[in-house]
Amino acid sequence: MTGEKMAESNQLIPTEKYLTTGSHIGTTFKTGDMRRYIFKKRKDRLYVLDVENIDKRLRIASQFLAQYPFEKIVVVARRLYSQIPAKKFAELTGCKAITGRFVPGTFTNPNHKNFIEPKVLIVADPESDSQAVTEATKQRIPVVALASTHNYLKFIDLAIPINNKGRKSLALVFWVLTREMLKERGDIKKDSEFSTPLEAFEYQIQEGAREEGEEDPVRQAMKESQKLRYKGRKGTGNRSKPGGQRRGKPGTTPRKR
């Protein structure tokens, strides 16, 4: 068995699964924070994430999250494609999902009607879910983030490099996290015992509502890159550059990001 095949045999899922879901496709932008996770830049200027890194970080994140009571884990997902995967993840693990708009004060205002005190936070996009990241930071709550090539990792304790805009890639990452966390907790012993199909985590687009190129992760990534470029020109993007450090919560290991 070649070294490449041996490495793949130790992966959580086959490389082909990451590739067919476009999990490795980034945007035409990259940050210094995400440089270590990037494999190459394509001729069409899209950056490509290293699949081996994706798999390794998913394993690390699953092991880290399994250390906490699942009911004390909160996943925040504002963007449409991330909401269904986040809800299914919460349903199967017992974590709490906050989808759509994150109401300010949810983590910081005890008088808020929906006030909660999570032990750890997962965000589907550190940019779109920046309010949750800010409040978690104030409360010294560790943050796990799904991050693409354009994301900054300020205030992120553990990053999972992934295409966090793609419908299929978001379904895959939450599907893998769910399975691996249940294995870590002892609810299931092997992969075959996890019977929920990947499709159950996927946001379904109604027939007739699909846009041209919707199923092509590359075309979708180019569209997202155009949106990022427009936001940069308008100066309306909430993409603050990294700077400053916060002290990690005692007992937590993921400060390497």
Side-chain angles (χ1 to χ4, degrees):
M1 183 180 289
T2 64
E4 186 176 328
K5 288 185 177 179
M6 287 182 64
E8 182 164 344
S9 68
N10 293 324
Q11 289 183 183
L12 300 176
I13 58 174
T15 296
E16 186 65 20
K17 200 70 174 177
Y18 289 117
L19 300 180
T20 56
T21 56
S23 298
H24 63 306
I25 300 296
T27 68
T28 57
F29 296 90
K30 75 170 180 178
T31 63
D33 293 345
M34 292 299 296
R35 182 181 293 113
R36 74 189 80 172
Y37 304 119
I38 294 173
F39 176 63
K40 68 176 183 178
K41 182 179 182 180
R42 293 162 40 118
K43 291 182 179 180
D44 57 9
R45 300 191 302 115
L46 282 174
Y47 288 99
V48 176
L49 293 164
D50 188 319
V51 169
E52 188 175 335
N53 263 326
I54 296 174
D55 194 86
K56 285 180 179 179
R57 300 297 286 187
L58 272 171
R59 188 185 298 275
I60 291 170
S62 300
Q63 293 171 346
F64 170 68
L65 291 167
Q67 298 176 34
Y68 292 85
F70 285 8
E71 66 273 14
K72 289 293 186 179
I73 298 174
V74 171
V75 55
V76 172
R78 179 168 186 165
R79 292 174 64 94
L80 182 62
Y81 286 176
S82 62
Q83 293 179 22
I84 294 299
K87 287 178 181 178
K88 196 65 179 179
F89 166 80
E91 174 191 330
L92 295 177
T93 60
C95 301
K96 179 176 178 58
I98 300 177
T99 58
R101 180 174 179 267
F102 181 87
V103 180
T106 299
F107 296 160
T108 56
N109 183 3
N111 296 320
H112 193 290
K113 65 178 182 178
N114 294 319
F115 175 70
I116 52 176
E117 297 180 280
K119 293 293 185 182
V120 62
L121 170 67
I122 305 170
V123 292
D125 184 335
E127 182 178 348
S128 299
D129 304 318
S130 60
Q131 179 64 33
V133 173
T134 298
E135 294 195 14
T137 301
K138 291 179 179 178
Q139 300 301 100
R140 302 176 67 81
I141 299 167
V143 180
V144 176
L146 310 185
S148 188
T149 60
H150 67 284
N151 287 126
Y152 291 107
L153 300 181
K154 183 180 181 181
F155 301 136
I156 303 303
D157 294 284
L158 198 161
I160 302 173
I162 198 78
N163 174 358
N164 60 9
K165 303 290 192 295
R167 183 166 60 91
K168 292 183 179 294
S169 60
L170 284 165
L172 182 68
V173 70
F174 277 107
W175 182 79
V176 173
L177 277 177
T178 302
R179 188 191 71 186
E180 294 304 308
M181 286 173 62
L182 291 177
K183 282 166 57 180
E184 289 289 337
R185 191 169 66 173
D187 291 12
I188 58 175
K189 294 183 179 180
K190 50 187 178 180
D191 294 350
S192 59
E193 294 179 19
F194 185 61
S195 58
T196 306
L198 175 59
E199 292 73 22
F201 285 77
E202 189 176 314
Y203 175 83
Q204 300 298 325
I205 300 176
Q206 294 182 354
E207 198 63 35
R210 298 179 187 272
E211 297 182 12
E212 184 181 359
E214 186 67 51
E215 297 303 321
D216 185 345
V218 172
R219 295 185 65 175
Q220 189 179 28
M222 293 301 292
K223 287 174 64 177
E224 291 294 338
S225 296
Q226 290 174 359
K227 293 177 184 177
L228 290 169
R229 187 175 295 109
Y230 178 76
K231 286 175 68 176
R233 288 174 179 172
K234 296 289 287 185
T236 57
N238 184 24
R239 299 171 61 200
S240 56
K241 293 185 178 181
Q245 298 280 332
R246 65 168 173 148
R247 293 171 58 190
K249 183 178 178 180
T252 63
T253 55
R255 194 53 200 153
K256 299 178 181 178
R257 303 188 300 189

